[in-house]
């Protein structure tokens, strides 16, 4: 069973504080993703990675940094958290080798509240 | 950017009824997937279906790539089918784009 875990599951932060969301996958997938989910927007891609050492900007990267120190781990960093970043954040890993099976496995989500 | 439109936005059914969910997208080069999000938030992949028809249990997905559309058919719906259904495309850029989802409620 493919596995993606996230920590913490819930986080309350103060405006201007630094927040790090962590994601770990045991699927040996090259690709990992961070999304946020807000009512009325579905899931929006923040950052993604093709492998260890790589990070790419998604559709809404402003205010976020990402780090992929290893195949298994992908972090999302909010250097200066703002209330507009209050959301549910999902991490995913995926096998996107072209032409073959393409699947994404999602973590359980992290609920972040910035006060 | 790439657009993914889903309809209807929400749907209420009586248990046993069938459902047809639609997804239209702006790119012809897609790696289309359907996802289900549990009411508690967990997301699971239902289908990878870039073209043609796939079945699993009571679910059928049909994608017509050159018409830029896909559908998800749920037959004999059950209360446990309640949740939100998303389609997502990857237009060969590895940037997966999600639709805004169809919220399904199946009443007993």
């Amino acid at each position: 069973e493919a596995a993606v875990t996230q920590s913490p599951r819930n986080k309350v932060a103060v405006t201007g504080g630094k927040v790090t969301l962590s994601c770990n996958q045991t699927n040996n997938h090259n690709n990992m993703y961070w999304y946020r989910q807000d009512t009325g927007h579905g899931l929006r891609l923040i950052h993604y990675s093709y492998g260890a050492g790589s990070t790419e900007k998604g559709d809404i990267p402003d205010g976020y940094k990402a780090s992929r120190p290893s195949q298994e781990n992908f972090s999302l960093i909010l250097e200066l958290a703002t209330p507009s970043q209050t959301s549910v954040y999902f991490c995913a890993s995926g096998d996107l080798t072209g032409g073959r099976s393409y699947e994404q496995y999602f973590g359980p989500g992290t609920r972040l509240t910035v006060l | 950017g790439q657009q993914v439109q889903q309809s209807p936005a929400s749907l209420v059914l009586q248990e046993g009824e069938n459902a047809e969910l639609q997804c239209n997208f702006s790119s012809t080069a897609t790696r289309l997937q359907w996802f289900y999000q549990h009411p508690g938030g967990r997301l699971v992949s239902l289908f990878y279906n870039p073209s043609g028809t796939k079945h699993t249990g009571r679910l059928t997905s049909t994608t017509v790539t050159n018409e830029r559309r896909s559908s998800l058919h749920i037959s004999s719906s059950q209360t446990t089918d309640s949740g939100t259904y998303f389609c997502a495309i990857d237009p060969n850029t590895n940037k997966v784009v999600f639709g805004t989802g169809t919220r399904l409620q199946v009443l007993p």
Side-chain angles (χ1 to χ4, degrees), chain A residues 7-100:
Chain A
S7 63
R9 294 293 312 279
N10 291 281
K11 173 74 177 179
V12 179
V14 297
T15 297
K18 181 177 181 178
V19 177
T20 300
L21 307 183
S22 300
C23 178
N24 177 274
Q25 55 112 349
T26 59
N27 309 318
N28 199 31
H29 286 158
N30 288 322
N31 302 290
M32 295 186 74
Y33 308 83
W34 276 107
Y35 297 89
R36 63 179 284 176
Q37 185 176 31
D38 304 289
T39 304
H41 287 280
L43 282 89
R44 292 183 290 173
L45 182 63
I46 306 170
H47 284 288
Y48 60 105
S49 167
Y50 293 118
S54 93
T55 60
E56 304 289 337
K57 293 181 180 179
D59 295 319
I60 52 165
D62 293 344
Y64 303 94
K65 289 173 54 178
S67 174
R68 182 87 181 272
S70 66
Q71 180 83 339
E72 297 79 19
N73 296 294
F74 191 37
S75 297
L76 186 69
I77 303 150
L78 291 67
E79 294 278 5
L80 294 169
T82 68
S84 65
Q85 293 175 311
T86 294
S87 187
V88 180
Y89 291 85
F90 287 95
C91 175
S93 74
D95 182 344
L96 288 177
T97 51
R100 296 196 289 116

Side-chain angles (χ1 to χ4, degrees), chain B residues 10-97:
Chain B
S10 63
L11 184 60
V12 180
L13 300 175
Q14 290 295 136
E15 196 167 29
E17 292 183 323
N18 299 331
E20 187 87 7
L21 283 58
Q22 302 293 337
C23 176
N24 293 277
F25 41 89
S26 61
S27 169
T28 56
T30 66
R31 295 170 178 164
L32 189 135
Q33 295 185 93
W34 283 95
F35 293 89
Y36 166 68
Q37 186 170 35
H38 291 266
R42 189 85 192 195
L43 277 153
V44 296
S45 177
L46 295 175
F47 289 104
Y48 164 63
N49 188 18
S51 66
T53 298
K54 291 192 173 183
H55 304 276
T56 180
R58 294 179 293 104
L59 305 181
T60 302
S61 170
T62 300
T63 299
V64 184
T65 308
N66 61 357
E67 294 183 11
R68 305 180 186 181
R69 61 179 175 86
S70 182
S71 64
L72 179 66
H73 183 84
I74 305 172
S75 63
S76 303
S77 62
Q78 300 176 359
T79 57
T80 52
D81 295 331
S82 297
T84 305
Y85 293 80
F86 293 97
C87 70
I89 65 168
D90 165 21
N92 295 332
T93 64
N94 289 345
K95 288 177 63 174
V96 181
V97 179

